[in-house]
Amino acid sequence: MNNTVRDDEIRLSNRPLIVSDVDEVVLEFLGPFRAFLESRDHVLLPRSFRLTGNIIHRATEQPATEADVKDMLDAFYAAQDRWQTPAVGVVEALHELSALADIVFLTAMPPRHAAARRALLDRLDLPYPLLASEDPKGPIVQRLHAGRALPVVFIDDIARNLQSVQAHAPSCLLINLMANAEFRALAPAPDGCVHIAADWTDAASAIRAHFQR
């Protein structure tokens, strides 16, 4: 499926389901966004696990306002195809896992940028269905899985998204994966039974083990 879809349009097969975030999981985000900011005379400082307050104008050394950060993110997403690259090992890992399970990408970005993301993912040989939503992820995964008696996996870099899915799809294997090691060290540790994956090789191994239970 090569077009952007709504969750009620996705038709799953009688196989396990893998739902994966995109930024910092499937696509490198922080490294490319940092390079994008530098092209606009700003720098991203690794001082805490947030963007607002850590994006600084190079000349004035003043932090960008929340509104400025939102505008920069919007401009970055509009030009994402020129900046973002696949996370290490993701293409190979997902190709192998696609023989075992349905795969759906769930990206937390404004839906108006979904077409650009769809085109980028297709170009990178990541053709799996894409949902773009700024709504909480737990209810979306719950609707997708629909209580089927099949394994379900959710992969994300943000603790609150993992917690949301845990609350709405408690049988789900939760995997925390983040491509950028520098900012990953600043991230809050996820609560509950979350597998913290070092990379896509580790994540794929945990997923296969979950399917075999």
Side-chain angles (χ1 to χ4, degrees):
M1 188 181 300
N2 290 326
N3 58 329
T4 306
V5 295
R6 300 192 312 268
D7 59 278
D8 60 357
E9 295 176 319
I10 290 179
R11 299 293 178 262
L12 301 177
S13 67
N14 191 33
R15 302 192 301 165
L17 172 63
I18 299 169
V19 182
S20 178
D21 182 31
V22 177
D23 285 316
E24 273 304 300
V25 178
V26 170
L27 297 178
E28 299 272 358
F29 170 77
L30 286 166
F33 186 51
R34 176 180 269 170
F36 171 81
L37 291 172
E38 289 173 355
S39 76
R40 294 184 165 217
D41 295 321
H42 284 76
V43 294
L44 174 59
L45 302 177
R47 301 185 298 194
S48 63
F49 193 68
R50 60 198 304 265
L51 295 177
T52 302
N54 291 327
I55 296 176
I56 309 298
H57 192 278
R58 182 183 288 115
T60 67
E61 299 185 352
Q62 293 299 306
T65 66
E66 186 172 352
D68 288 339
V69 172
K70 184 177 180 180
D71 288 344
M72 290 176 193
L73 275 171
D74 200 60
F76 175 74
Y77 282 136
Q80 62 187 281
D81 61 315
R82 299 197 295 273
W83 297 93
Q84 290 190 268
T85 54
V88 173
V90 66
V91 175
E92 298 80 5
L94 289 182
H95 281 188
E96 292 177 5
L97 290 168
S98 69
L100 306 173
D102 292 334
I103 297 171
V104 176
F105 291 144
L106 176 54
T107 187
M109 67 184 301
R112 64 181 175 275
H113 296 303
R117 172 142 294 175
R118 175 73 275 162
L120 174 58
L121 291 168
D122 286 344
R123 193 182 80 205
L124 297 173
D125 199 19
L126 292 163
Y128 314 104
L130 172 69
L131 299 174
S133 175
E134 296 178 287
D135 293 336
K137 292 189 175 183
I140 298 175
V141 173
Q142 183 183 46
R143 288 195 300 270
L144 282 171
H145 186 52
R148 301 178 309 152
L150 289 164
V152 57
V153 177
F154 177 68
I155 312 167
D156 205 287
D157 63 312
I158 304 296
R160 69 174 179 275
N161 294 329
L162 294 161
Q163 292 163 1
S164 176
V165 172
Q166 185 174 44
H168 289 84
S171 68
C172 189
L173 170 65
L174 304 172
I175 297 179
N176 179 233
L177 178 60
M178 185 173 183
N180 188 285
E182 186 176 32
F183 279 87
R184 181 173 188 160
L186 301 171
D191 296 328
C193 299
V194 177
H195 178 84
I196 300 176
D199 51 28
W200 267 101
T201 298
D202 184 8
S205 178
I207 291 168
R208 290 191 194 92
H210 183 65
F211 289 169
Q212 292 169 2
R213 289 176 186 168

